[in-house]
Amino acid sequence: MKKWRMLGWLILLITLLTACAKEIPNTNTEKDNVIVLNKETIIGLEKGILVGTPFRLDKKIRLADVEKVWGKYEEMFDHEDIHTYV
């Protein structure tokens, strides 16, 4: 019985190590609504530029500024301290 238990732990360990060793390719693009941290994005963030938006990080972004650029929101979800606009 002890041999089977050790064999099970060995298989589990080998499975875990092979799963962690695989490198996941970066397939995200700017259209996927995620920020891709490449050299261009990092240089832009250091200068206060948020890539893909007309806004800058070095000044305060107000809802009125967002409405001027993208229009009025259709839905708003109020989560007490966090507001989500669609």
Side-chain angles (χ1 to χ4, degrees):
M1 187 68 170
K2 188 174 181 179
K3 290 180 183 180
W4 290 108
R5 186 179 297 157
M6 291 297 291
L7 182 63
W9 280 109
L10 182 64
I11 291 171
L12 182 66
L13 180 65
I14 290 172
T15 305
L16 181 67
L17 290 176
T18 56
C20 292
K22 291 182 181 178
E23 186 174 328
I24 299 172
N26 183 8
T27 57
N28 292 330
T29 62
E30 292 155 355
K31 294 179 182 178
D32 294 331
N33 200 20
V34 296
I35 295 177
V36 179
L37 286 178
N38 53 18
K39 288 184 180 181
E40 176 189 349
T41 306
I42 293 172
I43 291 171
L45 289 173
E46 288 173 350
K47 294 180 180 178
I49 299 169
L50 190 57
V51 177
T53 67
F55 304 110
R56 295 186 53 90
L57 296 174
D58 55 356
K59 66 176 193 169
K60 194 176 268 190
I61 300 172
R62 302 186 193 288
L63 183 60
D65 300 332
V66 175
E67 287 178 353
K68 284 181 197 173
V69 176
W70 286 323
K72 189 142 176 79
Y73 56 90
E74 296 172 6
E75 295 179 70
M76 185 195 79
F77 301 102
D78 186 5
H79 305 288
E80 293 182 18
D81 56 342
I82 298 173
H83 299 280
T84 305
Y85 300 95
V86 179

